[in-house]
Amino acid sequence: NLFLSFQSSLTGPLLSQKFCLGGLMLNTDSFFFFAFLLLKSIVCEKTIPLAIEGKGPCKENTKKIQKLLDEYHYVPKLGLRALKNNSSKIIGVVIHSSRYYENSAISDTFYSHIIGAMEEMLRKAGYYMMLYAAQNLEEIFHMALAWNVDGLIAITFTYRDYIKLKTLVNKPIVAIDLINKENSDYVNVGLQDKKGGYIMTKYLLEKGYESIYVCARKNIGVDHERWLGYREAWKEAGKEFLSNDF
């Protein structure tokens, strides 16, 4: 009966076929392997997907299937699991690098430390990390739409680009070091950059220093926030800040 139903379902090239076995969508390779297991173990077709997850109703049949799976080194494909559970277990990590890196953005210690920590935590939680870094935002948007991720982590995005990405993918999204925040409709992990600039400048002013400058690559993003804190400290001290302070 199994092979009769298989033959009647053929409508195109064999390699492009997908089949349903025990409620699980399978490609050609997996179908033949599962069919082989059915003939080898003589169990109900619904038993195999349940046995793979260790949830078979009959412990004896579950052990029989799992023994065969181990014997033939079967590894469930992530794509099949995603079809069944509607979850890919993949978290996309997208980096919008604002400048050119000689090797890659990952060579920057700021990004590499964050990526290393995230990968470890995601792995412990049973997820996989997909990483994509680019200067071109359209490339990032295209990647995020092309893959069925369970969620996104957006690093060094502006608020507006973060909102656009959130709208496009319609998936949970968390920002790291969000720039130019305009509203409160975001989830961000970051520092209090303006307050940090304020505290540092206030400390130097209280120590009697007055030739204080802000040294950074560009007066945008987190550097701009720190510069605003710097000027706030000067204003609070009742002093005129340097005209060419950045």
Side-chain angles (χ1 to χ4, degrees), residues 129-182:
M129 186 177 79
M130 176 181 287
L131 178 65
Y132 192 88
Q135 285 182 280
N136 189 319
L137 276 167
E138 291 303 320
E139 291 180 10
I140 293 175
F141 294 150
H142 184 269
M143 190 288 299
L145 287 168
W147 290 89
N148 179 31
V149 296
D150 284 355
L152 284 169
I153 299 173
I155 305 179
T156 54
F157 271 62
T158 65
Y159 168 80
R160 292 188 181 186
D161 292 331
Y162 165 90
I163 293 297
K164 183 176 180 180
L165 183 62
K166 181 181 178 181
T167 304
L168 282 172
V169 299
N170 194 29
K171 296 284 179 71
I173 177 170
V174 175
I176 294 179
D177 255 5
L178 191 64
I179 301 168
N180 300 337
K181 309 174 190 73
E182 297 178 17

Side-chain angles (χ1 to χ4, degrees), residues 208-242:
Y209 295 100
E210 293 192 355
S211 295
I212 306 169
Y213 297 87
V214 176
C215 300
R217 194 181 309 111
K218 293 180 181 178
N219 194 5
I220 59 173
V222 295
D223 292 329
H224 178 71
E225 290 291 316
R226 292 164 187 163
W227 176 73
L228 291 176
Y230 159 91
R231 289 210 161 183
E232 185 178 314
W234 277 95
K235 185 178 179 180
E236 185 182 90
K239 297 182 178 180
E240 290 291 328
F241 49 78
L242 304 172

Side-chain angles (χ1 to χ4, degrees), residues 48-68:
I48 295 176
L50 290 172
I52 288 175
E53 298 178 5
K55 301 177 181 177
C58 175
K59 289 185 178 180
E60 184 179 341
N61 284 340
T62 297
K63 286 181 179 179
K64 187 188 297 184
I65 294 296
Q66 288 181 337
K67 184 179 178 182
L68 285 169

